[in-house]
Amino acid sequence: RPAPEKQRMSGARTDRQRAEAAGRWSEHLAALILRLKGFTILETRYKTPVGEIDLVAKRSNLIAFVEVKARPAVEDALSAVSHRAQRRIIAAADVFVARHPHLAHCDMRYDIFAVAGWRIKHVERAWRSDD
């Protein structure tokens, strides 16, 4: 029988694994919705030295940098994208554009997908880089 500390650790790991699975499911769902809206998904979980972008999507002359948040309530998911997180995503988007100069002419926006079970809210232009 494991010691109580190990039981707690394995329980925390299980919670973390559940949260990770919910996050991945939410990202897949957001990507599907974006595809249905005519976007092409350019990147998922795009990692840079300054941060990660959950989804990078393109439609015509528009690139959307998308943060996906899964929480028990949509409102909680929306409020989970802090000003600091926004700055990190903007910095990562700058790296993305620097690495893909052929896309520098595109319009860019920052979106949030808030997911709570099957309740989904897509906020287009959730913030601007000059906010």
Side-chain angles (χ1 to χ4, degrees):
R1 176 167 246 244
E5 296 82 23
K6 288 190 178 186
Q7 287 175 342
R8 272 195 298 275
M9 286 176 57
S10 67
R13 194 171 347 160
T14 301
D15 290 345
R16 195 167 31 249
Q17 288 170 340
R18 272 193 223 111
E20 176 73 16
R24 285 198 185 263
W25 181 86
S26 298
E27 289 171 6
H28 288 299
L29 188 59
L32 174 63
I33 292 168
L34 286 168
R35 284 187 188 103
L36 291 172
K37 291 182 175 189
F39 283 86
T40 299
I41 305 302
L42 301 179
E43 298 283 348
T44 58
R45 295 195 168 201
Y46 183 74
K47 291 175 181 35
T48 74
V50 294
E52 180 180 310
I53 303 169
D54 293 332
L55 298 169
V56 180
K58 183 177 185 300
R59 179 178 67 196
S60 186
N61 194 43
L62 171 68
I63 298 176
F65 299 98
V66 183
E67 180 72 359
V68 181
K69 288 292 182 188
R71 296 290 188 275
V74 168
E75 298 75 23
D76 295 338
L78 290 172
S79 65
V81 184
S82 67
H83 188 69
R84 182 176 178 200
Q86 292 173 13
R87 296 284 130 218
R88 174 187 52 77
I89 294 163
I90 290 167
D94 290 344
V95 171
F96 176 86
V97 173
R99 290 179 180 171
H100 301 86
H102 64 284
L103 299 173
H105 70 282
C106 292
D107 295 325
M108 294 174 218
R109 74 177 192 207
Y110 302 93
D111 292 3
I112 299 172
F113 266 89
V115 181
W118 287 101
R119 282 193 60 214
I120 303 153
K121 182 167 185 161
H122 179 195
V123 180
E124 298 176 0
R125 292 174 206 79
W127 72 88
R128 297 183 332 197
S129 61
D130 57 358
D131 284 349

